[in-house]
Amino acid sequence: MAGSELTNVRSPRVKAARRLTKRAFREQDRRFLAEGPQAVREALKLDGVTLELFSTAEAELRHPELITEATLQGVPVHRASGEVMSELSQTVTPQGLVAVCRLVHVPLEEGLRGEPRLVAMLAHVRDPGNAGTVLRAADAAGADSVVFTDASVDPYNGKCVRASAGSLFHLPVVIGAPVGAAVRQLRERGMRVLAADGAGKHTLDDVDLSGPTAWIFGNEAWGLPEEILAEADDVVRVPIYGQAESLNLATAAAVCLYSSARAQRVP
């Protein structure tokens, strides 16, 4: 690793990276932070996405393959002191690796290009941990893309990036899309649009999920507003067989997405 250890938390390089913890600066600089070995590993798999890598000496020893890969790609690698890493990290216990990355989202048209069969849309979702977990579940279920509407959390929020466990780099992600415009384009591509809501008239057991399906998932506390429910072809709830009052957003989304994935794969 070239260069001396970064120890000054007020150095221009550290300050430029640190400012990316704020959404306004992420949007202005068109960059974000990816923290932890899993996120860094997946970011490095995409050409030109990783711009800089900060690593502690301990992380360099634990993950030499990431340091080597970054160096081979010509990515500047900076050894950082524990104090500097704590300044860049947004976790209680930093893992010693933080990458500065280019924004990776795509326009709505590109995110829905081709003939998508499974899409997840997050409408009014505000919790970054939930949003990142839904993104990870969508990736695991084989979704074609994930759409963050204009009223949802920023997927480049540090907690969202960590919760996605690298899935942010695996599939097309759309941000800032108006719900109506997204629904129109989904229908133009032959997709059935289903809203997941606890007050749905039908359950997952009642609906045919074998065709191309887009799921809309709503806010953690109050679900989906009436105007968005009205946009959907059907409102579907996850059946509760036990005594639990409900499922949280990320769990319900995973159940819905996997139900669609399974129905599309079973002859």
Side-chain angles (χ1 to χ4, degrees), residues 80-219:
S81 67
E83 185 178 7
V84 166
M85 189 56 64
S86 294
E87 190 74 10
L88 297 178
S89 173
Q90 298 177 67
T91 61
V92 176
T93 307
Q95 298 182 66
L97 286 168
V98 174
V100 176
C101 300
R102 297 185 193 276
L103 303 187
V104 295
H105 64 276
V106 299
L108 180 61
E109 295 78 7
E110 183 177 341
L112 301 180
R113 67 182 176 184
E115 298 180 352
R117 292 192 57 80
L118 183 58
V119 171
M121 184 189 305
L122 284 71
H124 296 271
V125 173
R126 304 294 175 84
D127 182 86
N130 270 334
T133 303
V134 173
L135 178 52
R136 182 179 183 180
D139 181 22
D144 296 286
S145 62
V146 176
V147 178
F148 285 71
T149 65
D150 49 9
S152 284
V153 68
D154 179 14
Y156 299 115
N157 175 290
K159 188 174 182 180
C160 186
V161 175
R162 292 192 302 277
S164 81
S167 290
L168 176 63
F169 302 104
H170 292 169
L171 74 173
V173 174
V174 176
I175 67 174
V179 173
V183 169
R184 283 194 298 274
Q185 292 210 29
L186 289 165
R187 287 208 180 97
E188 287 174 3
R189 285 158 177 77
M191 304 196 79
R192 185 182 184 195
V193 180
L194 300 179
D197 192 271
K201 293 182 179 179
H202 302 108
T203 73
L204 281 173
D205 298 333
D206 302 326
V207 293
D208 179 6
L209 299 174
S210 60
T213 303
W215 283 98
I216 307 178
F217 303 110
N219 182 270

Side-chain angles (χ1 to χ4, degrees), residues 30-49:
R30 308 296 295 170
R31 301 179 177 192
F32 72 103
L33 299 179
E35 181 179 351
Q38 178 62 16
V40 170
R41 181 176 295 108
E42 301 311 306
L44 286 169
K45 292 179 181 178
L46 297 180
D47 291 340
V49 166

